[in-house]
Each structure stands twice: as structure tokens, then as C-alpha cells.
């Protein structure tokens, strides 16, 4: 095949290769990888590292959080893959579990499992005969609130109503009441007699 600009004789056969364009490939996943390793990894699949954007995140600094085009998509060879990486400065967030109806032991276990801390200084009790003793009936923060990991959670527990024993000397009290009624009746009769005279 003659090179560009070569003069050839009239009628000579010239072979031409026609390009089919860039071959498509499947974009690999680079999520959770260190961005420093991404360029070489993408090159193995025929892609290039594109724009790098840093965002606030609790994940280690430099870890890839998102990519575009996404993993599994088809793209032409040489396509640039844009990424977002962690700055490592963000605080981890978690949701407060629903503690209502749980026992104290269950509530403490769920708080710990969510990466939170029981606020033991603010656990309160309330008399309630509608639920067994030591059952959670209220909490703060409320269930499903998103808070920073390590935050404190307090709650209110039920306690059985106090049983008040009968007062001593109850019979004497009834007797006193009867005497009072008799006395009032006598005084009333005497007053009536004086009026008739």
C-alpha cells in the first residue's frame, strides 16, 4: 500500500484499509478503589481517567465514591471516566433505631448496634399500667432520625404504679363521723324547741 503523497502509475491497484472506528468496551467498576490506582486499572480496559472531583465523606481520603460512565455501561475505547473521591474529613452518620415497646436491655443493645451511646444520665421512669415495667415508651432523638455516629440516645421507661397500703385506724374514722352526725342532730332539735317557745 503506497504511503500518502506517493505518485503511482495510472491504473495501478491501491489497497485501502477502512477503519471501523473505536471499539466499544464495558466500563469496569472502580468504586472504593484509591484514585491513584484507577488510571492504570482503566487503561487495562482501554479507558482513561477523566475529571477528579473531591467531596466531603467519612470514607478514607482518596477513595472513589462515584464514577461516570458507571460500571457495566458500554463506551468507546479511550473514553474518559470521571470520578468523585473522598476528602476523608466527613463524619459518619447513622439512624436512631425505634426503641418503643422494647425492654431496657433490648434498647441498650440496639443503640450500641447502631453505633450510638446510651445517655444514662437522662433515662427517666414513668408510672404506667398499660405496659410491663421497664418498657420504653418514649425516646430522644425520635426513631429514624439521622445523627452522627457516637451520639447519645435517651429514653423513658415504664414503672409499676406504687401500691398504697390501707390507712391504719379506718374504723375509728367511721365512728367519729357517726358521732358528728348525732351531735348535729341534737343541736338542731334544741334550736327548734327554743323557737317554739
Amino acid at each position: 500500500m503506497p504511503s500518502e503523497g506517493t505518485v503511482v502509475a495510472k491504473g495501478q491497484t491501491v489497497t485501502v484499509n477502512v477503519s471501523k472506528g473505536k471499539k466499544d468496551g464495558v466500563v469496569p467498576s472502580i468504586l472504593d478503589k484509591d484514585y491513584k490506582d484507577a488510571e492504570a486499572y482503566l487503561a487495562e480496559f482501554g479507558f482513561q481517567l477523566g475529571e477528579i472531583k473531591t467531596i466531603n465523606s467519612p470514607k478514607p481520603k482518596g477513595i472513589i465514591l462515584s464514577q461516570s460512565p458507571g460500571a457495566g455501561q458500554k463506551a468507546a475505547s479511550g473514553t474518559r471516566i470521571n470520578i468523585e473521591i473522598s476528602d476523608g474529613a466527613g463524619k459518619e452518620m447513622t439512624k436512631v433505631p425505634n426503641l418503643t415497646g422494647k425492654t431496657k436491655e433490648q434498647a441498650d443493645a440496639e443503640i450500641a448496634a447502631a453505633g450510638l451511646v446510651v445517655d444514662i444520665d437522662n433515662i427517666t421512669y414513668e408510672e404506667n399500667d398499660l405496659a410491663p415495667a421497664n418498657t420504653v415508651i418514649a425516646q430522644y432523638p425520635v426513631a429514624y432520625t439521622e445523627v452522627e455516629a457516637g451520639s447519645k440516645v435517651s429514653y423513658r421507661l415504664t414503672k409499676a404504679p406504687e401500691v398504697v397500703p390501707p390507712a391504719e385506724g379506718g374504723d375509728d374514722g367511721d365512728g367519729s363521723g357517726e358521732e358528728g352526725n348525732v351531735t348535729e342532730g341534737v343541736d338542731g332539735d334544741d334550736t327548734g324547741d327554743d323557737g317554739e317557745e
Side-chain angles (χ1 to χ4, degrees):
M1 182 178 67
S3 61
E4 181 181 355
T6 302
V7 178
V8 296
K10 185 177 181 180
Q12 182 177 340
T13 301
V14 177
T15 303
V16 179
N17 292 326
V18 180
S19 172
K20 295 182 180 179
K22 293 183 178 180
K23 184 179 180 180
D24 287 347
V26 178
V27 178
S29 174
I30 52 176
L31 298 179
D32 293 323
K33 292 182 180 293
D34 191 304
Y35 82 100
K36 295 177 182 178
D37 302 326
E39 187 169 10
Y41 184 74
L42 288 172
E44 295 177 10
F45 294 84
F47 300 104
Q48 299 181 55
L49 183 61
E51 179 183 352
I52 301 174
K53 182 179 179 182
T54 302
I55 63 175
N56 185 255
S57 169
K59 287 195 173 184
K61 185 176 181 179
I63 292 297
I64 298 173
L65 305 173
S66 67
Q67 65 179 86
S68 179
Q73 295 184 15
K74 287 187 176 182
S77 178
T79 297
R80 292 183 176 274
I81 311 300
N82 300 323
I83 61 174
E84 291 182 336
I85 64 174
S86 170
D87 64 358
K91 294 183 178 180
E92 186 177 355
M93 304 297 288
T94 186
K95 287 187 177 181
V96 179
N98 184 7
L99 306 176
T100 303
K102 306 291 177 62
T103 65
K104 183 181 186 305
E105 292 73 19
Q106 291 172 334
D108 289 350
E110 292 202 17
I111 290 172
L116 302 169
V117 179
V118 178
D119 188 357
I120 58 176
D121 294 329
N122 286 299
I123 294 176
T124 57
Y125 290 83
E126 178 181 301
E127 289 187 5
N128 189 315
D129 56 3
L130 300 178
N134 286 322
T135 299
V136 177
I137 55 175
Q139 67 180 87
Y140 181 82
V142 296
Y144 312 120
T145 301
E146 192 170 50
V147 297
E148 291 181 7
S151 297
K152 291 185 176 182
V153 178
S154 61
Y155 49 78
R156 183 181 305 144
L157 296 166
T158 58
K159 68 176 181 179
E162 294 184 7
V163 178
V164 180
E168 295 182 1
D171 293 337
D172 293 341
D174 293 340
S176 298
E178 292 176 359
E179 290 177 0
N181 291 336
V182 171
T183 301
E184 288 178 2
V186 172
D187 291 344
D189 292 341
D190 291 345
T191 302
D193 293 341
D194 291 344
E196 290 178 2
E197 290 177 357

